[in-house]
Amino acid sequence: MRLTFGAILLSFVLLTTNLLLYTPFIFSAADAPVEVAAIIFTNHLLFAVIAVLAYQICLLIFEDRWKSLLGAFLCIACSSFVFWGSTAKEHMITATLFALVIYFFIRYLRRDSWWDAAGAFFCIGLLAWPRPEMGFTVAIGAGLFMIGYQAYRTTHGITDVKGAICAVFTAIFIFLGSIPLIVNNVITTGNPLVPLYILEETTTSHSRYAQVISPVTAVQNIPSVDPGIFSKIGDFAGIIGRHYVPSWNSLPSDIMGVFFYPETGHMGFTLVCPLAFIAVMLFLLTLSKRQRFPSRDKPILFFLFLMTLAVMITYLQSFQGMNTSHGITPDVRYLMPAYLTVGILGVYLLNFHGFPPSTGTTLSRLVKYSVVGVPLILVGIVALPPFGGRYDGYTLFFKMVITFLMVFFIAGFWFSSFRKEHIVLLTRCFLILIVFVLAWQMMMVFLYSVAKFNGYTFWIPLTDTIFHQVFGISITAP
């Protein structure tokens, strides 16, 4: 009750502050199109949606409000959702649609409703609109999972053959969800089955798409696809197959770079989402202790792992670029949707091993640590720039601190006897780890997210005031 009252009071204070600080929206750059403002505002809303979805997914799994609130907080903190939710990129809509797929599928696994399964497959079709390659891979993974799951239920007498077939046939809702993609393909390529990125792969004249022109002109000037290109199924399958072929020579080093320390100096996957590393290590701990997960949770855990794998496979070809390309910043953003699934797996395994011992108290402390710690960290790195300051110095600082805290926590978890004093130390280490990961996100928002705004300032007046009055960053031409 006190937490609810405090949240209401804080919301009122923030609303009043923003009203007092409000100024008309300023177009601060000549090349800042109006559409960018709409995209950024949409990403703000999508960030709010994905936060709610994270809570709802955790609530389906844990069936406990406090564990779900803590899980949602951890999933949002251990990601780059805050950063990408404040930019004009398409990553938030991809992550949100992916989260909807996870939500409806887990809802189906908990409640056994065909409508939930249909909703999951419908969202997979929608996912193919912003990211056809991910929608295709997720569709294959979800379809195989549904077939295997129904086969298991049938052989164990949980459902009959008719029920299993009906459940599998909910996959036809993918085609209904794919209507936006089909319409987009017809407009841009002239072929309902050919996304624009496949057309680009089949033409040698890539430069025509690099020109900055109006949307109407772009649609009118895109050539129609030669019907002979995809007249054979083998040709189409070959194009799809080539998308999944990585650079084998550099793949081992690319995997290490993408997941830990990219050659570009940016943040690796497990540094942005330490819950991924924690999930792997705690799973190994579970195997070493020969512990077993509850039977009703096993399908959910396997599905979360399968969806994480689907995201990784989708962009396996891009691992070399994510490891070496300086344009892919500040994290390995193509894998961003997987932050949610591995985050939930990490939260589940922590709970499975009885950590934290008091969820409500831990959540309360985490909120307090974040409110106090994140601003102190940001002010500290600005006042005393680590490693020479700038982006490289700040990033290296966070990488070193997060790595140390992550390894220390896992080592303590593996080798501690779980006495009271050990639990207290582990909890504090874990909370500080989450605060630093969240501080990295906030650093990217306040210090560097403005560079992705095409000249627009922050939407919320309070953060806009903090940015200009406290940080006073100015962007100059190189």
Side-chain angles (χ1 to χ4, degrees):
M1 186 64 183
R2 288 182 299 176
L3 181 62
T4 304
F5 178 77
I8 294 173
L9 181 61
L10 179 62
S11 299
F12 176 76
V13 172
L14 289 175
L15 174 62
T16 305
T17 304
N18 283 308
L19 288 174
L20 293 173
L21 295 174
Y22 173 78
T23 55
F25 194 82
I26 301 173
F27 294 84
S28 56
D31 62 343
V34 177
E35 292 80 5
V36 173
I39 294 173
I40 297 173
F41 182 66
T42 301
N43 282 340
H44 289 355
L45 298 178
L46 292 174
F47 170 76
V49 170
I50 204 170
V52 174
L53 287 173
Y55 169 75
Q56 290 295 334
I57 293 170
C58 290
L59 190 60
L60 287 170
I61 296 174
F62 301 118
E63 299 175 341
D64 180 276
R65 188 179 68 170
W66 289 109
K67 289 182 179 179
S68 302
L69 284 171
L70 178 60
F73 191 107
L74 294 176
C75 289
I76 296 301
C78 296
S79 70
S80 56
F81 296 152
V82 176
F83 174 75
W84 293 114
S86 63
T87 67
K89 302 288 285 185
E90 83 287 357
H91 302 300
M92 278 311 300
I93 189 172
T94 304
T96 304
L97 291 174
F98 182 74
L100 282 169
V101 173
I102 303 301
Y103 168 71
F104 279 112
F105 233 111
I106 293 180
R107 185 182 168 99
Y108 164 72
L109 294 174
R110 278 290 192 241
R111 303 183 180 182
D112 198 24
S113 170
W114 294 345
W115 287 110
D116 290 325
F121 283 111
F122 176 81
C123 291
I124 292 175
L126 289 177
L127 178 61
W129 178 34
R131 288 287 179 178
E133 66 278 16
M134 183 180 293
F136 179 80
T137 313
V138 170
I140 296 297
L144 292 175
F145 175 84
M146 179 62 86
I147 293 172
Y149 181 64
Q150 296 305 323
Y152 174 85
R153 285 161 55 87
T154 304
T155 56
H156 287 73
I158 302 175
T159 187
D160 56 13
V161 175
K162 180 181 177 181
I165 293 176
C166 290
V168 170
F169 268 88
T170 57
I172 63 175
F173 279 82
I174 287 181
F175 299 104
L176 186 61
S178 299
I179 290 177
L181 171 67
I182 293 172
V183 172
N184 190 74
N185 291 345
V186 170
I187 294 174
T188 57
T189 69
N191 189 319
L193 299 179
V194 182
L196 183 59
Y197 85 97
I198 287 184
L199 176 63
E200 291 180 319
E201 291 179 357
T202 59
T203 180
T204 56
S205 125
H206 293 269
S207 59
R208 74 184 70 185
Y209 302 105
Q211 299 175 3
V212 180
I213 53 180
S214 69
V216 175
T217 306
V219 171
Q220 292 175 346
N221 289 344
I222 290 177
S224 59
V225 181
D226 181 2
I229 294 178
F230 298 108
S231 59
K232 296 181 180 180
I233 297 178
D235 293 339
F236 187 73
I239 292 174
I240 295 176
R242 284 194 295 273
H243 175 79
Y244 296 97
V245 178
S247 177
W248 295 108
N249 294 334
S250 61
L251 185 60
S253 61
D254 291 336
I255 291 176
M256 292 299 296
V258 166
F259 283 101
F260 294 99
Y261 303 103
E263 293 181 14
T264 57
H266 302 316
M267 296 287 283
F269 186 88
T270 56
L271 298 183
V272 176
C273 185
L275 290 173
F277 182 75
I278 291 173
V280 172
M281 299 308 296
L282 292 189
F283 180 72
L284 296 177
L285 179 62
T286 304
L287 294 180
S288 68
K289 292 184 176 182
R290 298 184 178 179
Q291 295 173 308
R292 295 190 176 185
F293 300 113
S295 298
R296 69 190 301 261
D297 292 343
K298 288 181 180 178
I300 293 177
L301 297 176
F302 182 74
F303 178 74
L304 289 172
F305 169 75
L306 187 63
M307 290 297 98
T308 303
L309 191 63
V311 176
M312 302 299 172
I313 292 176
T314 299
Y315 296 107
L316 192 63
Q317 185 192 46
S318 303
F319 268 46
Q320 185 179 37
M322 286 188 284
N323 183 35
T324 60
S325 174
H326 289 275
I328 300 179
T329 179
D331 62 335
V332 286
R333 60 176 185 260
Y334 296 121
L335 305 182
M336 187 191 77
Y339 289 143
L340 179 63
T341 49
V342 296
I344 295 172
L345 286 171
V347 172
Y348 180 92
L349 283 160
L350 285 169
N351 278 275
F352 181 75
H353 286 277
F355 185 89
S358 176
T359 307
T361 302
T362 302
L363 177 60
S364 177
R365 288 179 178 174
L366 180 56
V367 172
K368 293 175 183 177
Y369 279 34
S370 300
V371 170
V372 176
V374 170
L376 287 178
I377 293 172
L378 294 182
V379 172
I381 63 174
V382 171
L384 301 172
F387 304 104
R390 294 182 172 270
Y391 174 79
D392 292 339
Y394 297 148
T395 304
L396 179 59
F397 168 74
F398 279 104
K399 287 163 68 174
M400 293 179 65
V401 173
I402 292 172
T403 300
F404 172 78
L405 292 172
M406 188 168 60
V407 173
F408 183 85
F409 174 76
I410 287 297
F413 209 101
W414 267 73
F415 300 110
S416 70
S417 57
F418 279 86
R419 292 200 296 263
K420 183 177 180 180
E421 58 271 21
H422 292 166
I423 290 295
V424 172
L425 180 61
L426 280 178
T427 302
R428 289 178 179 174
C429 176
F430 181 74
L431 294 180
I432 295 172
L433 169 63
I434 301 304
V435 168
F436 267 93
V437 176
L438 182 59
W440 171 79
Q441 280 202 81
M442 300 311 296
M443 177 201 74
M444 292 305 307
V445 169
F446 279 95
L447 298 188
Y448 296 101
S449 185
V450 70
K452 297 267 184 187
F453 267 61
N454 277 25
Y456 289 108
T457 55
F458 288 100
W459 284 91
I460 302 176
L462 177 59
T463 56
D464 180 68
T465 301
I466 293 173
F467 178 79
H468 288 98
Q469 300 299 325
V470 178
F471 293 100
I473 303 296
S474 61
I475 301 175
T476 58

